[in-house]
Every structure is written in C-alpha cells, then in structure tokens.
C-alpha cells in the first residue's frame, strides 16, 4: 500500500469517525446521562475509547475533555486502550482472594510481561481483575476468553497462557 493510499484511508476514517460522533451526539442529545450512553456506543463500535474520538466528542458536546476522562476513569467498564486478542479475567472476590487470586494475578502479569519482552505480540492479552464470577466453589477462578478455569495454583499461570496462545 502506498503512503498516499494509507493517508487517504486515515483521512477517510477520521471523516467517518467525525460523522459517527456527530450522529451519536444528536441521537442522545435530549437524554439524561447522555455522555455515558454515547461513550457506551463509542466503545461498542471501537472496542475502546480512542483519544481522538473522545476529543471529537468533547468538541461536539461543547464540554471539557477532563469531563469525559472523569467519566471514563470512574467506570471500570470503559477502556482507553484497544482490547487484547485474548481476554483474561482473574476473580478477586472474597473466596478467590483468600485462595491466592492476588498471587495468581501477579504471576499472570509477570508471565505476560516476559512474553512481550521475548517478542510476543504486544496487546495480545488483556488481563483484568473482576469481582465474584459466581463459581466460588472453584476458587481461585479465572475466565479466559469466556471459559472458566478453577482451583488454580500460581504455577498454573504459565500453562494457561500457553494453552490460550495455542488455541
Ligand atoms: S469469589 Fe471468585 S468466584 Fe466467587
């Protein structure tokens, strides 16, 4: 792809993003809590809230960027970075916490850093902590790409990552 084509694609993306932000702002303009609804719609479309889109939204609504970031950072749901290809959720509910979830989370985090440092694709995994996922009998539990793994010990971190990469 030539530089001109690539620039043309970027400009086209910016134009369509602006149009979409404008449409969303009009769609929700008379609704209470419209900023949150618009941010939900943006995240549904982009997978996260890109900075440029947040900036466009601030202009469109005539509000400060700080207000947008206040909302984004207040709710755990909103993401400021693109989601990873694989999604790992470590349960930090009481039962899991008492059975070593923190250690498991730290081990997964360390393994992911090692993986990236050794040439793994950046952003391949998205690691997050969540509250009780409803299977306390399997504590500590982790959900990987929608599949629950339970009764894990810290040394399982490497195995989970290996199996997920192979899938
Ligand atoms: S506390 Fe982890 S599943 Fe309930």
């Amino acid at each position: 792809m030539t530089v001109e084509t690539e620039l043309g694609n970027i400009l086209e993306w910016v134009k369509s993003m602006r149009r979409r932000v404008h449409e969303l702002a009009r769609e929700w303009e008379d609704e209470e809590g419209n900023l949150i609804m618009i941010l939900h719609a943006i995240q549904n479309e982009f997978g996260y809230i890109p900075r440029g889109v947040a900036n466009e939204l601030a202009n469109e609504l005539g509000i400060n960027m700080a207000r947008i970031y206040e909302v984004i950072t207040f709710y755990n749901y909103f993401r400021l970075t693109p989601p990873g290809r694989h999604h790992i959720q470590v349960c930090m509910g009481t039962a899991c916490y008492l059975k070593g979830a923190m250690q498991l989370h730290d081990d997964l985090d360390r393994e992911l850093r090692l993986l990236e440092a050794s040439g793994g694709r950046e952003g391949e995994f998205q690691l997050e902590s969540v509250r009780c996922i409803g299977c306390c009998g399997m504590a500590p539990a982790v959900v990987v790409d929608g599949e629950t793994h339970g009764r894990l010990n810290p040394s399982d971190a490497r195995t989970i990552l290996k199996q997920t990469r192979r899938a």
Side-chain angles (χ1 to χ4, degrees), residues 16-70:
S16 72
M17 178 271 288
R18 284 196 166 135
R19 257 196 316 272
R20 189 66 189 123
V21 169
H22 180 76
E23 282 167 13
L24 286 168
R26 294 292 75 80
E27 192 179 325
W28 295 99
E29 73 185 330
D30 296 327
E31 303 288 333
E32 197 164 316
N34 63 354
L35 178 55
I36 293 176
M37 303 317 284
I38 295 169
L39 289 172
H40 268 278
I42 288 173
Q43 181 151 303
N44 285 345
E45 262 183 60
F46 296 90
Y48 71 114
I49 315 285
R51 186 177 170 77
V53 176
N55 194 36
E56 195 61 36
L57 181 61
N59 292 338
E60 185 67 41
L61 298 178
I63 59 175
N64 206 306
M65 269 288 266
R67 174 69 191 128
I68 292 184
Y69 275 92
E70 200 178 274

Side-chain angles (χ1 to χ4, degrees), residues 20 61 78 88 129 131 148 167:
R20 189 66 189 123
L61 298 178
F78 294 120
I88 303 178
S129 309
R131 298 199 179 171
T148 307

Side-chain angles (χ1 to χ4, degrees), residues 109-137:
D109 189 44
R110 194 190 58 242
E111 288 297 326
L112 287 176
R113 285 171 203 274
L114 286 173
L115 204 64
E116 279 188 17
S118 65
R121 268 182 293 164
E122 201 177 326
E124 183 177 5
F125 288 92
Q126 177 192 335
L127 177 65
E128 68 174 346
S129 309
V130 292
R131 298 199 179 171
C132 180
I133 53 172
C135 41
C136 310

